[in-house]
Amino acid sequence: MCGIVGYIGKSKASPILIKGLSKLEYRGYDSAGIATIEDDKICHIKNKGRVKELENSNKLENLKGTIGIAHTRWATHGKPSSINAHPHLDSHENFAVVHNGIIENYRELREFLINAGYTFNSETDSEIIPNLIDYYYSKETSNDKFLNAVHNAEKDLKGSYALAILSKFDPNKIIVIKKDSPLVIGTKDNEKYIASDINAILEYTNDIFILKDGDLAYISENKIDFYNNNLNLVNRTPEKITWDAKASDKGDFEDFMLKEIYEQPVSIRETIGTRIVPNKPCDFSDINITKKYLSDISRIYIIACGTAMHAGISVKPIFERLTNIPVEVDIASEFRYRDPLIDEHTLIICISQSGETADTIAALKNAKTCGSKTIAISNVIGSSITREADFTLYTHAGPEIAVASTKAYTAQITLLVLLAIHFAEVLELPKNEIINNLKEELLEIPSKISIILENTDIIKKFAKKIHKETDIFFVGRGIDYATAMESSLKLKEISYIHSDSYQSGELKHGPIALIEDDVTVIGIITDRRLIDKSISNLQEVISRGAKTLIVTNQEIDTKLFPNVFSIPKVHPLISPLVSIVPLQLLSYYVAKEKNLDVDKPRNLAKSVTVE
Ligand code: G6P
């Protein structure tokens, strides 16, 4: 939810920290702050608003230290304000802390600290942390007072946290801790970089330690000591990250979202990678799912939140068709609390772009305790969910920065389609014809998407026409309903226009009461078998005054429907990979018409690490 950066080395810390924060703004952007140490004193600046405002602050020039921590916030406790912004300092200004996560028992700790003479300025849960460290520091008699004080304070914390901590008593050290919120450390010669995610520091180094839950790292410019929960030294080795640092720059695009929409041909190709092998079964040697196991399971659950959940809905038909195993798709926040009927005969597939979504991780953990096997689908190497699951499969969409997910969505569908094919091949079901056909079609998807991306005028014009509207409806039947849901979510997220999605056949059971003159209804039609039915549903709304946009790869009478966006023909079971693209663009252009910040929509964060 929040973004953390830290630096220790020979260079001035503040420019590096600000740059890192701007790469993490997708994690939260209601306030930001920075702290460095100079002359054995902690200096800090905090601002309400975006990182840009912090960067433009005339006080920033005064921060000259070569060690520092910084934070961009997405409010959970206390409104966005400079007082609630991080870093938080203790009452004596001895320690500064940036925190991502939630301290669940902060009220009782605050009470305890108030009784011990500490005062509080903010409404946040995080402010108790530096005070608690100061409290233990004052009681510490060992030589390693900073390390022990942090360790003792951590023992009192309940909840989730990634923390970076400065101490004025140890002006050449940063301590970081991780539990249930992500944190990485980059190392290069005599410089160390800390961040919530790899992208923020990738331009400095590819050697990255991905911290595990319970890790505490004691960092100086030329050394990192890792400790476990019992404060025993442990060995950690850095991973070589091969992502290109430029992948997290906007390049020539105006916004990350547009760049990411245009990256889809490449991200789908990368996700297919070498899994499709000519004349052989798909290569899934990275997981071990046997014929016996698949024959014994009674159900597959696909669990996720938001866009990732829509990817699950898009692939339910292909899994059922190819494997004959019933599939249920569930929202993680519901699944975890509804005592689902799962056991060792249930396979759980959890999808999470970030791999950090709290509800999805909790759902996966619950499923494991019931004996189910779990597969995580994630876009982020080493993310929390990948450490919990029995098996992990990575999408290769590259870093997705815009809050509204686009290329990760199509990469998730691609990988899940391949997984469904793999299951059918493992089961040795007599489905060779459809499987070969799907493999061929999948390989053609990138070039079909490129065709759409080269012809966007109709979409831009339609966006101009509808950008002032207050309600928009998306309808589709069968697999097209998944695209309707995802399109509606995209539009809401970034244009703030209320929109809803319905199965076309359901319109007459209620929603049609909302249709009146000039209301916009967007229909998606990609399944030949359902074309007549879908058309009559759309005629029903037209005769009540609606205007329509049809996204289709079927022959449609343009006399009936003046706005048709044609997309290339594709196998109906994988059509969501193509039909979503013009509708991602539609949301984008509507938001641009409204002059909104497309990449950072209000109230949203990309990585939702709290419930
Ligand atoms: C947030 C984002 C959505 C995203 C969802 C799931 O709500 O705003 O765009 O789809 O989280 O994220 P995940 O990282 O688990 O795929």
Side-chain angles (χ1 to χ4, degrees), residues 305-308 351-355 357 360 403-405 412 493 605-606 608:
C305 301
T307 292
I351 316 169
S352 176
Q353 186 285 128
S354 61
T357 300
T360 312
V403 167
S405 179
Q412 285 157 357
E493 280 179 312
K606 187 149 191 74
V608 183

Side-chain angles (χ1 to χ4, degrees), residues 227-395:
Y227 294 88
N228 65 12
N229 273 335
N230 302 320
L231 218 55
N232 294 324
L233 276 168
V234 285
N235 250 338
R236 296 276 179 262
T237 38
E239 300 201 20
K240 261 269 176 270
I241 303 296
T242 52
W243 287 359
D244 179 359
K246 288 204 188 70
S248 49
D249 280 342
K250 270 190 227 163
D252 293 335
F253 287 89
E254 220 174 298
D255 301 280
F256 278 111
M257 182 177 176
L258 191 62
K259 177 177 179 248
E260 288 159 7
I261 291 173
Y262 273 80
E263 279 172 346
Q264 289 179 107
V266 175
S267 52
I268 290 175
R269 213 171 281 131
E270 293 279 316
T271 299
I272 297 172
T274 52
R275 292 203 187 269
I276 297 182
V277 188
N279 307 317
K280 280 201 176 151
C282 282
D283 179 4
F284 271 85
S285 44
D286 41 350
I287 58 173
N288 180 18
I289 297 285
T290 62
K291 182 172 178 184
K292 173 158 185 350
Y293 171 74
L294 283 178
S295 310
D296 282 353
I297 58 171
S298 55
R299 198 166 293 273
I300 297 173
Y301 273 93
I302 303 183
I303 300 160
C305 301
T307 292
M309 197 273 292
H310 294 155
I313 294 180
S314 301
V315 297
K316 171 182 158 82
I318 196 167
F319 268 96
E320 292 191 334
R321 176 81 180 278
L322 293 189
T323 66
N324 300 340
I325 303 171
V327 174
E328 281 194 42
V329 183
D330 216 336
I331 294 169
S333 55
E334 291 293 314
F335 179 88
R336 63 185 288 197
Y337 291 117
R338 73 171 174 80
D339 298 328
L341 296 172
I342 53 169
D343 55 23
E344 68 275 22
H345 299 295
T346 328
L347 169 64
I348 306 290
I349 303 176
C350 286
I351 316 169
S352 176
Q353 186 285 128
S354 61
E356 303 296 344
T357 300
D359 283 322
T360 312
I361 295 172
L364 185 139
K365 285 184 184 167
N366 285 359
K368 270 174 79 174
T369 62
C370 298
S372 306
K373 221 187 249 314
T374 53
I375 300 179
I377 306 274
S378 179
N379 195 39
V380 179
I381 300 163
S383 56
S384 302
I385 203 163
T386 67
R387 287 197 292 273
E388 297 293 340
D390 295 310
F391 301 112
T392 295
L393 295 170
Y394 286 109
T395 48

